[in-house]
């Protein structure tokens, strides 16, 4: 789940060229937010990270890209690890508000 492992995408595409690769993983946890980042604004480095991951996958044989966590609550869930993740859209459920984060634009 970490690092630039794009060579693995290229290897799978090379070994099975008749298969369509559709990656779906580029989660960034909220602990990586820069100081002062708020739920309403998000952090542009998370968007840049998404762009890096998406382009790396596409440049190595993927046919597209799917975001598993397009919308998460203000705590970054729900997810199976119970860690606080960031997402393209965050929901503050008690306030009935949605916040579009930088990842959305990538």
């Amino acid at each position: 789940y970490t690092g630039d492992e794009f060579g693995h995408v290229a290897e799978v595409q090379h070994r099975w060229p008749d298969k369509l690769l559709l990656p779906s993983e580029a989660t960034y946890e909220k602990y990586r937010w820069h100081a002062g980042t708020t739920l309403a604004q998000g952090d542009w480095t998370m968007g840049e990270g998404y762009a890096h991951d998406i382009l790396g996958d596409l440049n190595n044989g993927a046919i597209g890209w799917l975001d598993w966590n397009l919308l998460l609550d203000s705590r970054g869930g729900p997810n199976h690890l119970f860690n606080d993740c960031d997402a393209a859209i965050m929901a503050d459920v008690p306030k009935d508000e949605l916040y579009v984060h930088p990842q959305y634009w990538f």
Side-chain angles (χ1 to χ4, degrees):
Y1 285 141
T2 182
D4 291 344
E5 302 294 333
F6 305 121
H8 295 298
V9 177
E11 181 179 346
V12 170
Q13 199 281 326
H14 176 74
R15 287 186 183 195
W16 296 279
D18 59 319
K19 304 300 180 200
L20 304 177
L21 302 179
L22 190 60
S24 64
E25 193 68 44
T27 301
Y28 290 88
E29 292 86 4
K30 287 169 50 178
Y31 77 84
R32 296 180 183 194
W33 282 2
H34 288 101
T37 298
T38 67
L39 181 65
Q41 73 185 39
D43 188 325
W44 273 98
T45 58
M46 306 299 112
E48 292 166 355
Y50 262 56
H52 175 81
D53 289 344
I54 292 166
L55 291 173
D57 288 335
L58 292 173
N59 286 332
N60 284 281
I63 62 157
W65 197 86
L66 178 70
D67 193 355
W68 76 267
N69 63 340
L70 181 61
L71 171 64
L72 296 177
D73 67 20
S74 60
R75 291 188 36 92
N79 69 57
H80 67 287
L81 295 176
F82 304 103
N83 56 343
D84 291 347
C85 293
D86 195 11
I89 304 171
M90 300 290 287
D92 188 332
V93 177
K95 291 183 179 180
D96 198 30
E97 294 180 351
L98 293 177
Y99 304 110
V100 175
H101 281 197
Q103 298 92 303
Y104 179 85
W105 304 108
F106 292 95

